[in-house]
Amino acid sequence: MKRAPSAEVGIDLGGTGSRFAIISDGNVVAVSEVPTGELGAGTPAERVSRMAAVVTGLLPEGYWLEGVGIGASGPVLLPSGTISNPDTLPWFSGFDLGGMLAAELGAPVVIDNDAVAWALGEHHFGAGRECLRLLLVTLGTGIGVAFLDRGQPYRDRRGQHPECGHLPVEPGGPLCYCGLVGCWEMVASRGSLEVHASRITGTLDLAVAYDLLHAGHPGLEAVLTDYGHAVGRGLELLNVAYGPDRAVLAGSVSRFLPYFAPGLATELGHRPGFSNDLEVVEPALGVFGGAIGASVLGRVSASTAAARFSNGDRDLLTEEEMPRRDPEPTGDLGTE
């Protein structure tokens, strides 16, 4: 008897919206997007049940669930996978989301930082293929950063994911919720762009700004140039520190890259001897790249992945041990 096809689920758990992707044999077979606040209503048990319902509702009939990966914004405590982000992801912080969801779905669940998940997706399937040193920056509700060296995520000495969105890049800038002043996240997140663009458009809806830019709008072009400077100040620090081969700017404002590239370019590579020629590109996987990348985590058992990713007694997963998919995912990833 022919065995039922297996599938992995990837969840990109963001501060504003959460995206789900079902991957089977390297193909995207279903996607969905849900407001995170809507998922987060009620008790922790109700939140988990609601998330599980989205997964089971997306899983095609006849498929069995091999594993679930979650990429979450903000600090994720490894090896437990507990989310610790009361500022932008309060609904899913401070409890055993992975264990409770695994019990609901009957499949292992792995939780890691959302930037790490997206970087894995681009490394395996998209703009980071065949790139030895990949830097990925998510520009969304906050700013997330992941650095992959030969497919392995960089961790700090405690085995945690570094929160580079809180690099101070603007002396005397706005006070961040983390307690520092002038954090990169405060001046270069989507919210910052929304506020500055709204002074011209009259709305926080960036779709309006995008349409006006496409038609040609000098005032908005100046706003985007300034935004490029803000993005570039943090990116140049990472460029000097890591020396990556390529940087992928992901997240909901990545489509504005052609408009903020001039400001970005002036911040990159203007100090000879201290930085290299950094290739900056848009993600290849569309807005569901984080969810697709999280599905890579879903192919590793929860207990093994949490322990191996923690940078503790055992080494990080090697390139050979990381789950591979030779085919590029297909299917309608959607656009934004």
Side-chain angles (χ1 to χ4, degrees), residues 172-268:
L175 177 66
C176 181
Y177 59 83
C178 77
L180 297 177
V181 171
C183 284
W184 193 21
E185 184 168 298
M186 297 303 294
V187 299
S189 67
R190 182 184 65 236
S192 176
L193 179 58
E194 287 172 341
V195 168
H196 289 294
S198 70
R199 293 169 183 160
I200 293 177
T201 64
T203 175
L204 293 174
D205 186 355
L206 286 178
V208 174
Y210 188 81
D211 289 342
L212 289 173
L213 281 166
H214 188 67
H217 193 294
L220 278 175
E221 289 172 358
V223 167
L224 266 294
T225 298
D226 289 342
Y227 178 72
H229 283 284
V231 174
R233 285 195 291 272
L235 192 60
E236 174 66 351
L237 292 177
L238 297 175
N239 184 29
V240 172
Y242 289 143
D245 300 318
R246 185 176 305 147
V248 178
L249 296 187
S252 53
V253 300
S254 62
R255 61 178 173 162
F256 288 92
L257 178 57
Y259 298 103
F260 67 79
L264 183 69
T266 62
E267 299 292 337
L268 294 175

Side-chain angles (χ1 to χ4, degrees), residues 30-289:
V31 295
S32 180
E33 183 171 2
V34 181
T36 305
E38 187 178 296
L39 280 178
T43 66
E46 290 172 327
R47 299 166 202 166
V48 171
S49 293
R50 197 173 291 111
M51 185 179 289
V54 176
V55 171
T56 55
L58 274 182
L59 192 68
E61 185 176 355
Y63 284 70
W64 65 277
L65 186 57
E66 184 176 29
V68 179
I70 298 176
S73 66
V76 176
L77 304 179
L78 299 174
S80 69
T82 303
I83 300 168
S84 180
N85 183 6
D87 297 294
T88 63
L89 200 58
W91 310 280
F92 295 99
S93 292
F95 69 94
D96 186 16
L97 170 61
M100 294 171 67
L101 187 60
E104 286 256 0
L105 294 173
V109 177
V110 179
I111 303 179
D112 207 323
N113 183 270
D114 58 348
V116 170
W118 203 319
L120 289 172
E122 295 293 338
H123 172 72
H124 286 279
F125 304 128
R129 289 179 122 183
E130 300 179 358
C131 181
L132 295 180
R133 298 175 65 81
L134 177 67
L135 172 66
L136 183 133
V137 177
T138 61
L139 301 170
T141 304
I143 289 183
V145 175
F147 176 66
L148 301 186
D149 188 349
R150 293 171 176 81
Q152 296 188 63
Y154 169 79
R155 309 288 181 180
D156 67 18
R157 59 182 174 80
R158 300 168 300 162
Q160 304 304 312
H161 174 268
E163 291 295 330
C164 295
H166 295 280
L167 288 171
V169 300
E170 187 173 307
L175 177 66
C176 181
Y177 59 83
C178 77
L180 297 177
V181 171
C183 284
W184 193 21
E185 184 168 298
M186 297 303 294
V187 299
S189 67
R190 182 184 65 236
S192 176
L193 179 58
E194 287 172 341
V195 168
H196 289 294
S198 70
R199 293 169 183 160
I200 293 177
T201 64
T203 175
L204 293 174
D205 186 355
L206 286 178
V208 174
Y210 188 81
D211 289 342
L212 289 173
L213 281 166
H214 188 67
H217 193 294
L220 278 175
E221 289 172 358
V223 167
L224 266 294
T225 298
D226 289 342
Y227 178 72
H229 283 284
V231 174
R233 285 195 291 272
L235 192 60
E236 174 66 351
L237 292 177
L238 297 175
N239 184 29
V240 172
Y242 289 143
D245 300 318
R246 185 176 305 147
V248 178
L249 296 187
S252 53
V253 300
S254 62
R255 61 178 173 162
F256 288 92
L257 178 57
Y259 298 103
F260 67 79
L264 183 69
T266 62
E267 299 292 337
L268 294 175
H270 64 281
R271 295 179 291 178
F274 291 93
S275 58
N276 58 3
D277 295 327
L278 180 63
E279 180 187 13
V280 181
V281 300
E282 296 179 57
L285 300 180
V287 296
F288 283 92

